[in-house]
Amino acid sequence: MLGTLLKQEAKSQGKTILGMYATLAAATLLVLGLFFIQKAAGGPMETIFLFGCGIYILTIAIVFVVNFVYLCFHFYQSMYSQQGYLTHTLPVKTTQILHVKILVSFVYLFLTEIFSVLSFFGIGLIADGVSVSVMSNGIQKTLTQIAHELGISVFILLFFVLLIMILGCLDALLLFFAGSSIGQLAHRSKGAFGIAAGIGLYYFSQIVSFLVIMIGAFALFSGTKEIQPAPWAMGGFCLLLAGWAVVYYLINRIIVQKHLNLE
């Protein structure tokens, strides 16, 4: 039953998410088409090409925001609104329903990040007319230089970048899922209370994170000079993100288990 629930959740969310992926692909093809037209026609098409680039950048931002807002809205609708009554009649544990929704939402949001990056590099690859190997060598040289300046290996640098991307997506989703869950504690206007709770939780987490980062930075840079600050700083930042993910998850889990109060 859990596998069926996972497939249904992916299919339910995918109807909208895949449409936004198609929008991103269309914007990518538009920029490439305008580039080749501008290249063939010369100067007169330059303004139109720049306009297309503006549309492309705006599209990336819209796709990410729409996907994120939709995933948060879908979580609320399928967990706590009238649709939630049907969800919670399924013969699976409430925590399993929560885990499935978190997993599917995270995968879709993370793929949005990946596809946006691939789209950007794909445009650069085709527009510059370079081979994959040439671009790969250029990226490798850049990463090697950055890693050298930070005092870490390229593998460690890529590991931290990927980990921060993963934890960033997970934190953002769990934060607003937690806000929706806190909203269920209100007797009325649960949706509005949930939005306010999410915003309040965000500002609280930012204040606490800022204080932790300042204390950590002071302890790191005032300590021994023999250590490399970059890996410690990135590792500490990842631990901070992971810590907030645990906090947000526990808020969702506790409310779903003990304080479930559907509209």
Side-chain angles (χ1 to χ4, degrees):
M1 184 61 196
L2 189 60
T4 302
L5 178 61
L6 189 62
K7 292 179 182 178
Q8 289 178 344
E9 185 68 21
K11 183 177 180 181
S12 175
Q13 295 186 15
K15 294 177 182 178
T16 298
I17 300 297
L18 293 179
M20 298 309 298
Y21 290 163
T23 302
L24 177 60
T28 304
L29 294 175
L30 173 64
V31 171
L32 289 174
L34 290 176
F35 169 77
F36 287 117
I37 293 175
Q38 185 266 337
K39 188 175 182 181
M45 293 294 296
E46 184 176 353
T47 302
I48 298 178
F49 173 68
L50 293 176
F51 178 72
C53 290
I55 293 178
Y56 170 75
I57 294 173
L58 183 62
T59 301
I60 287 183
I62 290 175
V63 167
F64 192 86
V65 171
V66 169
N67 280 357
F68 178 76
V69 172
Y70 170 75
L71 291 171
C72 294
F73 178 76
H74 179 83
F75 175 83
Y76 176 80
Q77 286 290 101
S78 59
M79 283 291 286
Y80 299 126
S81 69
Q82 293 182 354
Q83 184 181 343
Y85 285 99
L86 178 61
T87 301
H88 294 292
T89 58
L90 297 174
V92 292
K93 295 180 180 179
T94 305
T95 52
Q96 290 179 324
I97 296 175
L98 175 64
H99 294 160
V100 166
K101 292 187 177 298
I102 291 174
L103 176 61
V104 174
S105 298
F106 164 75
V107 170
Y108 276 133
L109 189 62
F110 185 67
L111 285 177
T112 302
E113 276 191 339
I114 296 299
F115 289 153
S116 297
V117 172
L118 291 177
S119 170
F120 178 79
F121 278 105
I123 290 176
L125 186 68
I126 297 174
D128 288 341
V130 298
S131 64
V132 176
S133 60
V134 171
M135 175 169 279
S136 177
N137 290 334
I139 294 175
Q140 185 176 0
K141 289 181 181 179
T142 302
L143 291 175
T144 301
Q145 182 179 357
I146 295 174
H148 178 72
E149 292 177 355
L150 294 176
I152 57 178
S153 66
V154 175
F155 175 79
I156 296 297
L157 176 62
L158 291 175
F159 172 77
F160 276 124
V161 170
L162 180 61
L163 188 58
I164 289 173
M165 289 176 62
I166 291 173
L167 290 174
C169 282
L170 189 60
D171 262 27
L173 284 172
L174 288 176
L175 167 64
F176 286 94
F177 287 2
S180 297
S181 298
I182 294 173
Q184 303 314 298
L185 302 178
H187 296 292
R188 60 181 63 181
S189 301
K190 294 181 175 62
F193 187 77
I195 294 174
I199 295 174
L201 191 58
Y202 169 78
Y203 277 105
F204 174 76
S205 65
Q206 292 303 300
I207 293 172
V208 173
S209 297
F210 177 77
L211 293 175
V212 171
I213 290 173
M214 290 297 100
I215 294 172
F218 176 79
L220 183 63
F221 289 102
S222 63
T224 175
K225 302 300 182 181
E226 296 179 357
I227 65 172
Q228 292 289 343
W232 284 92
M234 289 187 290
F237 183 66
C238 290
L239 284 176
L240 184 62
L241 290 176
W244 281 118
V246 172
V247 171
Y248 302 147
Y249 167 75
L250 290 176
I251 291 174
N252 284 293
R253 184 185 176 94
I254 291 172
I255 293 178
V256 165
Q257 281 186 311
K258 300 181 178 181
H259 303 284
L260 188 61
N261 183 21
L262 303 181
E263 290 184 348

